[in-house]
Amino acid sequence: MPLSLIEEANHIVLIAHQDPDADSLGSASAFYSYLLRTQKKITFYCSSPNIAAHLTFIPWTQKISNRFPLDADLAISFDCGSFGRLGVDYNGELINFDHHISNDQYGTLNCIDTSAMSTTQVVYEWFRSQDIKINAKMANALYAGLMDDTKCFRDPRCALNIFSMAHRLLELGADHEQCVNGLYNSKTLASLRLQGEMLKRMKLVLDGQLALFEVDQELLALTGASLGDCKTVLDEAITLKIVNVALLLAVRKRGGISLSLRSDGAINASEIMQRYQGGGHHDRAGAKVTDKPLEQIREEIISYIKEEM
Ligand SMILES: [Mn+2]
């Protein structure tokens, strides 16, 4: 049980993954609030030095440190599908809270529900199973992760349990307006400019079923956007009626190619990304490749997609 590991620990580190999203930060944040009730030392860790400004409405993000404490005797990771996503080479006791289908169970204890729509849902269910009181701060953090991972409840798999959870969290004090404004009304001009350029350059292949995007550092410099800004365009492309899959190949600053794949269910994105040591979910996944040129990766992935469709 996670509870006994937690009870025995003195210094607990909560880990959000590299380049954290609202789900990873929200689940770690809710846990941070919960652990404040104990007398333990807590560190909120993330290896990425800068947290995106639009996510700083999530409670406790100002406490995040990118230095991993040496005296930690328990770490809890949130939304990290693989050990590499932790961004730290820690080999002590580790609880792994996650919902990625590709999670490789790297924890001492793994609390993984691949049917959950967000890691905040896994944490919420765990709090409920332990009769842990959820205060307004925790509710807001859990709600932010749920909202982000369900694309603002637009995911077709949102069922009654998701709306019940949302309802309950709102009753407990989650702030819908703050979450919507933080997650959807905080775009930068650079990211919108980038989206425009990417859509202009989008190629439709496989009879229009695959939307293909390629981004290099020049395009990022031209628009002033970051690599992280590219992914939202994939979600736009998939809303085209004929498009079932969207693929992004982006050249990274320090070499290598960053891959992001979105599927409307036609193919298993996670399986394809696992061929490149990446992973994720059935409908969205990613990987980083350093040993192959972009052209080769592009052609390989197109043929994998073709096989599956
Ligand atoms: Mn997630």
Side-chain angles (χ1 to χ4, degrees):
M1 279 310 290
L3 211 53
S4 58
L5 276 176
I6 291 167
E7 275 165 2
E8 287 159 18
N10 296 306
H11 187 170
I12 302 176
V13 186
L14 306 177
I15 304 177
H17 60 65
Q18 294 173 315
D19 305 320
D21 61 357
D23 191 28
S24 187
L25 292 173
S27 42
S29 166
F31 228 87
Y32 191 98
S33 293
Y34 154 59
L35 289 178
L36 284 179
R37 296 171 192 167
T38 67
Q39 298 304 310
K40 297 175 191 300
K41 205 168 163 194
I42 322 161
T43 298
F44 193 162
Y45 170 84
C46 180
S47 64
S48 301
N50 299 311
I51 305 303
H54 71 281
L55 295 177
T56 53
F57 74 92
I58 295 171
W60 310 118
T61 45
Q62 74 281 8
K63 297 274 187 190
I64 291 174
S65 161
N66 61 358
R67 258 185 250 154
F68 197 90
L70 293 170
D71 66 339
D73 52 1
L74 174 66
I76 312 179
S77 63
F78 299 90
D79 203 44
C80 302
S82 65
F83 187 75
R85 292 283 277 157
L86 269 55
V88 59
D89 205 9
Y90 168 80
N91 36 37
E93 299 273 16
L94 176 67
I95 303 174
N96 169 10
F97 273 99
D98 193 28
H99 69 128
H100 288 86
I101 199 164
S102 58
N103 192 295
D104 49 18
Q105 316 241 343
Y106 52 81
T108 319
L109 204 111
N110 301 291
C111 298
I112 298 162
D113 179 357
T114 58
S115 72
M117 304 275 302
S118 66
T119 298
T120 62
Q121 187 188 348
V122 182
V123 170
Y124 170 77
E125 303 289 359
W126 186 75
F127 283 162
R128 294 210 326 162
S129 72
Q130 302 297 319
D131 279 324
I132 290 165
K133 191 176 178 292
I134 298 174
N135 66 22
K137 262 201 171 101
M138 293 156 85
N140 208 35
L142 295 171
Y143 190 78
L146 184 69
M147 178 181 273
D148 198 30
D149 270 25
T150 58
K151 301 185 200 113
C152 206
F153 306 102
R154 272 170 53 193
D155 191 304
R157 290 168 305 152
C158 279
L160 193 57
N161 64 329
I162 295 301
F163 293 106
S164 301
M165 173 180 163
H167 180 154
R168 185 74 192 115
L169 291 175
L170 290 167
E171 279 179 339
L172 291 166
D175 187 337
H176 180 78
E177 187 183 349
Q178 189 188 50
C179 290
V180 169
N181 285 337
L183 296 176
Y184 301 99
N185 297 330
S186 301
K187 272 193 185 149
T188 62
L189 180 60
S191 78
L192 270 192
R193 295 255 195 260
L194 174 75
Q195 279 193 31
E197 286 299 326
M198 284 179 71
L199 288 170
K200 245 195 257 174
R201 300 170 192 203
M202 174 179 78
K203 288 193 185 111
L204 292 178
V205 294
L206 298 178
D207 296 327
Q209 292 178 94
L210 169 64
L212 190 63
F213 297 94
E214 293 181 11
V215 169
D216 53 24
Q217 287 295 319
E218 285 85 77
L219 182 59
L220 296 179
L222 177 78
T223 55
S226 67
L227 204 57
D229 293 322
C230 301
K231 294 180 191 170
T232 51
V233 189
L234 298 179
D235 295 320
E236 288 298 322
I238 214 112
T239 64
L240 281 169
K241 200 161 187 184
I242 54 163
V243 170
N244 304 117
V245 186
L247 170 65
L248 164 69
L249 300 114
V251 180
R252 295 166 62 80
K253 208 182 217 160
R254 291 185 189 84
I257 310 293
S258 175
L259 303 175
S260 297
L261 189 60
R262 297 287 182 275
S263 157
D264 68 357
I267 59 142
N268 186 338
S270 181
E271 262 177 25
I272 292 178
M273 288 297 100
Q274 280 178 60
R275 293 171 184 256
Y276 299 94
Q277 282 71 53
H281 305 280
H282 191 98
D283 63 339
R284 59 185 194 282
K288 281 171 198 159
V289 187
T290 50
D291 58 354
K292 281 180 185 173
L294 186 145
E295 295 70 26
Q296 186 188 343
I297 305 167
R298 183 217 298 134
E299 296 316 311
E300 281 177 4
I301 297 178
I302 290 175
S303 72
Y304 294 145
I305 293 171
K306 209 171 165 182
E307 272 169 32
E308 279 206 48
M309 287 205 295

